[in-house]
Every structure is written in structure tokens, then in C-alpha cells.
Amino acid sequence: MEEDFERAVEDGLRLSKRLVLPGGAAPPRPHAGMDRYGAPDAAAASSLLPVAPMAYAVVTDPAAVDSPDVPSYQPHVYGRLSPPALIPLQMREVELRVDCAAGCATAEVTLVARWWLHCLTRSRDCDCRLVVPMGEEGSILGAEVTVGKKSYNTHVVDVDGNSPVKIVKTESGGILKSQFFQLTIPQVVGGEDIFATIRWSQKLLYDNGQFSVDIPFRFPHYVNPLPKLFTKKEKIQLTVNSGVSKEVLLQGTSHPLKEKTRQGEKLFFLHEAVVENWSIKDFTFSYSVYSGDVSGGVLVQRSTLRDYDDRDIFSIFLLPGNNQKRKIFRKAVVFIVDTSGSMQGKPIENVKNAISTAVSELEEGDYFNIVTFNDELHSFSSCLEKVNGKTTENAINWMNLNFVAQGGTDIMHPLTEALALLSNSDGALPQIFLVTDGSVEDERNICRTVKTQLTNKGSISPRISTFGLGSYCNHYFLRMLASIGKGHYDAAFDT
């Protein structure tokens, strides 16, 4: 799907060479790495997936491609395009609003933009596709689009068919890739403006005492209209809700933000400027909350009249603080790694590197073991090994020899083995990390069995964290298993 999308954009960039812009000017000159048609060469092809919210004209008839204001009188082009070409539309306005809530570990993003269909004669129309790349764990919240006298907006619908809203074809909107949302607007006339407001949420990252957010905001040069005709105003509004009455320290930002006000736990920032070109870097912002010890709070949000779920929600959060003398629990960790045939190539190599790093970062006094599974089960050791330089080196050497992708997927057997290994963890905090790219048939039975075993172990039962690889993995099962094991779930959809 990605390759088809990139090929369609490449065709669209070639078609846009037919345009003569107002004043007789040529289209913007391409960057280095593009061929003479203005399309990326083979080495630069990966850049055609959007790295900022974009709009594209879906062109099936190349003869319709022309400037809406100044006819170019180009030679007529015969035939139809199948699949259609995607011509990136020029953007006239953009505003980014970001609301960071540390207590929910979430950033809510609103993008307001105006594109115009600059590549189609006014006597013709075509569909236009909006594509929004979202950051870490992005989830679309809604979109409203206005074109002329017509308006469109998204709804949450009941897929079982009980919704009063008619469900249109899936190609009208949905997920292009795990982090890309797309929406198709039908029959936009050449020269018309497209006004869009798009909202999504993404994860507010926390690492080494810093909160950070990273929002795709890198616009390619060909979406810039001519500077003499359009004044480009770039506006970014940022709200930070720390959730605690502690000092907030700003650590870094990609764009020049000016602090406007502080109201209790909320900080407001603004960037507003007339620019020659739209942003060529992602919007990033990081901050820390100063505290000498553990701090936290509870956030409560009431349901609203239009909520799909009418229950109130709450979030409890804790910040570790800056006390470096705090005693750390000793850990007993078992890594369970899927080495079935589907893990062959990059996935197995990346997992091996990740597990090697994790083992190397364990502290002396911790315990660990590594279990691989496919149709068979293999263990680094018959018992938990104490972390030291020698056992760490032996474990990495063992992984280099035994991480071989072959066979099927049997998850219950290695889970039982890991629980047995951790049955006597010598006072250390027991943890299991499961990494897999597969799906299994007996998910419900596995969850029931694990839940029973953990309950029988009482308060010192192991925490189970899961990590899924690729889009064919049963991610719902891994979420449930992590929930039962009071651990964490995460995934890498792009292996």
C-alpha cells in the first residue's frame, strides 16, 4: 500500500510540471535528490510518504490538470490514469494547537489548515484526499472539512449496523498505515479552497525525567504557494497542564515559542510569524517537573452529553522525582522471545539487539533468563542467572547462536516455563517480557490459565509485559495478557 501511494504521488509530481502559475512563474524548484520531472529519484523515494498533514488531488484525467486562473495551453494528453495520480495541493494557511496533559500522558492535537485545488482547471472537478500522519500511538479524534457550500465531518459509528449514520465505503476514510489517517472529499472544483480541522491524540513521552511531544510538521517545498501572491502565517499554540503544583522547567523546543501566561498548573505558549516557507521540521517540545521526591495526583473528567460512553473517567499518575539515593528493587526478569519462521530477517535481528541491550542494562544483583520458542522451547539456563559481566556476555553469545527463525508459534509452553523459573525469585521483583509477531488459536484459554496461575501466587506474582511486532500479530490478546499480568503492552507495527 505504501509503495502504491508513493508511486501515485510520483506520478502527480510529474503531472504538476504542466502547470503555469499566476504571473507566468514556473513551479517551485525541486530540492536536490529529485529528477528533472520534479519527482524523487530512486534514492529519495521514501520521502513521498507525508511527514506533515497533506492534501492531494486524485487525478484520473491528465487533460484536466491546469492552472485554474491562467491556462497553460499545454499539449492535450489522451487516456486515463489507473490507478489515479496524487498531486500534492498547495497550502495557504496552517495553525497547530497542542494540549499536553501530563497526568494522562497524552497530547491532544488540533490542526486547522486551508489548501486550494491549484492544479485543476475551473471547469473540472476531482476527489481530494487528506492524509494526516500522527505521532506515537496516534488516534484520530475527528475531522471537519468545508468546501464551498458543502461540509463533511467524521462520526463514531456502530459497525454492527445499528447506527443511524450511513457507513460509506471504506476508501472514503480510514487508516492508510498504522500512523496515517486519510479522508477523501468528493468532487472538489478546480480553484476551490478546502478548509479542514483535524483532531487527534498521541502519546506524551516520558524518559529520563522529561516529558516530550513530537508532532509531524515537515512540509515539502512543493506545497508552498508563491510568496508574492500569498502571505504565509504560521501559528502554533501550546498548552501544558503539569497536573501538579511543582516547578515546570522547559527543556527544548523546535519552534520559537513565547510564554504568554501561567495559571496554576497550566502554562500557555504561542508562536506566530509570517514565514517564507512552511515548517520544514517536526514540532517538538520537552519539559520536566522539578520535584525532590515522588509526587503525583488524580485527574477527574466528567462525561458530556455527547459522549459515546457516559461514564466519568479518572487518571492517577506518579512522577518519580529527582531523588538519586532512592533504593531500587532487585529484579528477576525472564525474556520470552518468539523465534518462529515469520520472525526471519530484520525482526529477529532487531529483537536480538533489543534483548542484548536490556540484559546489559540490568544491575548487578538482578537475576535473568532468556527463553525462545517456536515449535520447541529453548532456555539460556535451567535456572535464573545472577547478573554479572560473565553471565551477560554468555547470554549475548547464546542469543547469537540460538536466535534462529523457524517453526510455528506456541506461547503457553514458554509462559508456563517462565512462571516456574520465577517461582523462587529470592525476594526480587519478578517480571516477564514477551515479544512475538504471531497469533495463536487458544488466546482465551491462555489468558484464563495465566490468570489462575498468577492468582495462586498471591501478591508477589510476576508482572507480564508484552510487545507485538507487525500488523498480523494478535494485539488485542497481548493487551489482555499484559492487563492480566499488571504489566505494559506496546507494539512496533513497522517491523
Side-chain angles (χ1 to χ4, degrees), residues 63-346:
V65 176
D66 206 342
S67 168
D69 299 314
V70 182
S72 60
Y73 301 106
Q74 295 278 359
H76 187 78
V77 180
Y78 294 92
R80 309 281 290 183
L81 293 171
S82 181
L86 296 176
I87 300 181
L89 299 187
Q90 291 182 356
M91 188 169 67
R92 289 181 164 179
E93 295 176 16
V94 65
E95 179 180 343
L96 185 67
R97 305 171 195 152
V98 186
D99 195 343
C100 300
C104 305
T106 302
E108 188 171 309
V109 185
T110 301
L111 180 110
V112 181
R114 176 165 67 114
W115 291 275
W116 74 301
L117 188 49
H118 73 288
C119 56
L120 212 69
T121 178
R122 291 189 184 274
S123 61
R124 303 290 294 274
D125 63 57
C126 71
D127 292 351
C128 288
R129 186 178 303 172
L130 308 185
V131 182
V132 182
M134 299 174 288
E136 185 84 8
E137 296 185 15
S139 177
I140 196 73
L141 298 177
E144 296 87 37
V145 180
T146 301
V147 181
K149 295 181 179 180
K150 295 181 288 186
S151 62
Y152 308 85
N153 63 311
T154 57
H155 288 272
V156 176
V157 294
D158 183 350
V159 294
D160 293 330
N162 298 324
S163 169
V165 180
K166 183 181 178 182
I167 303 175
V168 295
K169 294 181 180 179
T170 53
E171 56 262 31
S172 296
I175 302 298
L176 172 67
K177 209 184 152 188
S178 60
Q179 70 271 33
F180 291 94
F181 173 77
Q182 64 172 348
L183 185 67
T184 300
I185 308 302
Q187 297 177 325
V188 181
V189 176
E192 278 194 309
D193 283 342
I194 301 171
F195 297 87
T197 300
I198 304 161
R199 297 179 297 109
W200 71 93
S201 67
Q202 61 182 69
K203 189 175 181 181
L204 186 62
L205 302 175
Y206 183 82
D207 185 43
N208 262 347
Q210 287 189 20
F211 290 97
S212 64
V213 65
D214 190 337
I215 298 169
F217 206 55
R218 286 178 282 151
F219 296 95
H221 73 282
Y222 40 75
V223 304
N224 288 297
L226 289 177
K228 292 182 179 178
L229 297 177
F230 301 106
T231 301
K232 293 186 278 294
K233 290 184 179 180
E234 186 176 75
K235 186 176 182 180
I236 300 174
Q237 295 182 74
L238 173 69
T239 304
V240 176
N241 185 355
S242 66
V244 291
S245 55
K246 305 286 184 181
E247 184 181 1
V248 175
L249 305 174
L250 307 184
Q251 301 295 339
T253 178
S254 57
H255 295 67
L257 293 172
K258 184 178 180 181
E259 185 176 332
K260 301 298 287 183
T261 57
R262 290 195 182 214
Q263 296 176 3
E265 300 164 1
K266 283 192 174 184
L267 290 79
F268 300 89
F269 300 88
L270 179 66
H271 161 67
E272 196 168 13
V274 174
V275 294
E276 185 175 342
N277 295 300
W278 297 123
S279 173
I280 56 172
K281 53 189 175 182
D282 290 342
F283 175 71
T284 58
F285 180 80
S286 61
Y287 68 95
S288 59
V289 179
Y290 179 78
S291 177
D293 212 333
V294 175
S295 60
V298 181
L299 300 179
V300 180
Q301 180 174 307
R302 303 292 182 189
S303 65
T304 63
L305 291 174
R306 293 192 299 168
D307 271 354
Y308 191 75
D309 186 336
D310 61 0
R311 294 174 294 181
D312 300 341
I313 60 174
F314 72 93
S315 171
I316 300 175
F317 65 97
L318 293 172
L319 304 178
N322 303 314
N323 185 354
Q324 300 299 325
K325 297 180 181 179
R326 189 181 302 116
K327 184 180 178 180
I328 305 298
F329 284 105
R330 289 187 299 118
K331 297 180 287 295
V333 184
V334 177
F335 299 96
I336 303 176
V337 181
D338 182 352
T339 56
S340 59
S342 57
M343 290 283 287
Q344 195 164 11
K346 262 193 169 185

Side-chain angles (χ1 to χ4, degrees), residues 10-28:
E10 187 174 347
D11 291 340
L13 289 172
R14 286 198 175 96
L15 268 179
S16 65
K17 296 294 289 182
R18 292 172 54 87
L19 300 174
V20 174
L21 300 178

